[in-house]
Amino acid sequence: MPGLGTGALEAVRARRVLVDGRLQPALLRIADGRFSEIVTGPGALEAPVGDAGGSPADLAVLDVGDDVIVLPGIVDTHVHVNEPGRTAWEGFATATEAAARGGVTTLIDMPLNSIPSTTTPEALALKRARAAAKARVDVGFWGGAVPDNLGTLEVLWDEGVFGFKCFLLDSGVEEFAPLDRDQLHTAMREVAGFGGLLIVHAEHPDVIAAAPAPASRAYADFLASRPDAAEVDAIEMLIDAAREHGTRTHILHLSSARALEPIAKARAEGLPITVETCPHYLVLDADAVPDGAAEFKCCPPIRDADNADALWDGLRDGVIDVIVTDHSPSTAEEKHRGDGDLQQAWGGIAGLQVGFAAVADAASRRGIGIERVSAWMSSGPAALAGLGAKGAIAVGRDADLVLWAPDEPYDVRADALAHRNKLTAYDGLRLRGRVRATVLRGSVVFDGEGVPAIPSGQLLSR
């Protein structure tokens, strides 16, 4: 949708707008970056735009074509921006441009793989300083829970992080150490004490250590080195700990559908556990991954099509709450380390710009409406992080929108993505549906062709 300009909009009018959980005609009035009034129903398309019925020619009104659906902006709570310290891997400028092009209006940055990790107030302040002048979408920050900062997490919480990420096994970077079993319980007690949120990379170190991990280009060998049992055992350990301490606990990037049963039982018990999965686990198939193709390597791994089907069932049944990208890019040198040996290559999927389109396409093929996709990728993540101004088209919320053309073909080309490093497992996919434009707090930040020269994203605190 080229030619929209970059000024603030006063109204958006469309025949299909997601309001109150359903697509309907709507006129969205905007003031000071928020929805000030919403008129729905057939009369919305003829309703006066200005407060006094002023001429639309005098107002900044966006009339959306009938081939476009207006949705709340996507909220991605799992993004590795990697700045400072590993900015060659990504960075706030490129990550937030990719986000805007992909319909993402809000992201929350993970505490690694930047140097320093976001485990102290000083590191958080440095992150914020680096992001402030570069963010093209709104950005918040997770803190980290590592052995060295246990006992001081509340200080970081008071500085505005949205929660604390921890690993139960080697994170892949030496500056972000994992928690052992006793340290996990210490962190859970501490976080529960101030009502925080612990988000956990759930693979069990003992299971991983016992699995065969030969040097190999074969994806099947890599998959065998990260078995389902690693996730199941780790998640059962987390469930026990959450039961003991009452800690709000979020399971990151669920890959194995075999963990759905214990999660469902824990949820039925009333334990405060939430779960995410990622586009690559829903869209890609282990049996189709070429050997030596490190762009498909991630931990936990992409599994087979039957597993993906079961994850979709977990979403439909409400066992899985949200879908987020876990955008975790690296340089080509790191991805190709070991010349195709998947044990040596950096593990992470670059998908920030593509995730929403990939999920929307896959959902459509399964007969799942865009309303549910929006709930999994917008309102759900906003609720997880406590972002009360995000995730819905409603009066008082931020006027964040994605204009979605559901029938327009989208050929994913890695070299055309805004990601700093042009490597992605989605390269070559032909999807149905693409982002026509993205609106952040009432201003167009992607118009189908490019992004404004001056970034307009804001930094968010809990």
Side-chain angles (χ1 to χ4, degrees), residues 43-351:
L45 302 181
E46 288 77 39
V49 176
D51 292 338
S55 168
D58 299 328
L59 302 168
V61 180
L62 176 59
D63 282 299
V64 177
D66 291 350
D67 62 334
V68 170
I69 298 172
V70 179
L71 304 168
I74 304 306
V75 178
D76 193 341
T77 55
H78 196 148
V79 179
H80 293 267
V81 178
N82 302 330
E83 185 174 3
R86 290 191 174 92
T87 311
W89 294 21
E90 191 60 272
F92 286 105
T94 51
T96 57
E97 178 173 349
R101 288 175 177 271
V104 177
T105 52
T106 303
L107 65 83
I108 303 187
D109 172 58
M110 281 290 166
L112 73 162
N113 303 302
S114 57
I115 303 173
S117 301
T118 315
T119 56
T120 66
E122 294 77 16
L124 175 62
L126 179 59
K127 279 258 194 180
R128 284 178 167 154
R130 292 295 180 90
K134 301 177 183 179
R136 298 185 181 278
V137 301
D138 288 354
V139 177
F141 303 91
W142 295 110
V146 296
D148 287 347
N149 74 344
L150 297 183
T152 65
L153 298 180
E154 190 169 6
V155 177
L156 199 51
W157 177 253
D158 290 342
E159 290 293 324
V161 298
F162 287 87
F164 301 89
K165 180 175 185 176
C166 70
F167 277 75
L168 306 180
L169 76 173
D170 182 11
S171 70
V173 293
E174 62 182 2
E175 64 275 357
F176 201 92
L179 303 181
D180 63 25
R181 191 185 197 95
D182 289 342
Q183 291 164 340
L184 172 66
H185 280 266
T186 297
M188 281 201 152
R189 279 192 298 271
E190 184 178 357
V191 172
F194 54 79
L197 173 66
L198 191 69
I199 65 175
V200 186
H201 181 122
E203 289 183 289
H204 201 291
D206 295 344
V207 177
I208 297 295
S216 175
R217 294 174 54 86
Y219 187 77
D221 287 343
F222 170 69
L223 186 59
S225 75
R226 316 293 294 210
D228 295 89
E231 287 189 83
V232 175
D233 287 7
I235 287 168
E236 289 178 340
M237 181 171 71
L238 289 173
I239 289 169
D240 289 342
R243 183 183 295 114
E244 179 176 347
H245 303 295
T247 314
R248 287 194 298 137
T249 305
H250 180 68
I251 296 167
L252 297 167
H253 43 50
L254 180 68
S255 157
S256 174
R258 294 184 188 177
L260 290 172
E261 183 177 352
I263 292 170
K265 289 179 178 177
R267 299 280 288 266
E269 186 182 334
L271 296 181
I273 291 173
T274 52
V275 187
E276 71 184 36
T277 193
C278 303
H280 40 279
Y281 301 134
L282 300 168
V283 172
L284 303 176
D285 177 2
D287 293 334
V289 175
D291 290 344
E295 61 268 29
F296 291 86
K297 177 185 174 179
C298 57
C299 301
I302 296 163
R303 304 188 191 275
D304 61 27
D306 288 343
N307 183 83
D309 289 342
L311 291 177
W312 280 105
D313 289 341
L315 284 160
R316 288 188 186 96
D317 295 340
V319 180
I320 302 173
D321 301 274
V322 299
I323 304 172
V324 292
T325 62
D326 188 11
H327 177 69
S328 186
S330 71
T331 61
E333 180 182 18
E334 287 294 321
K335 260 298 179 190
H336 297 148
R337 189 174 57 199
D339 192 26
D341 175 4
L342 296 179
Q343 291 299 334
Q344 294 188 52
W346 175 259
I349 302 292

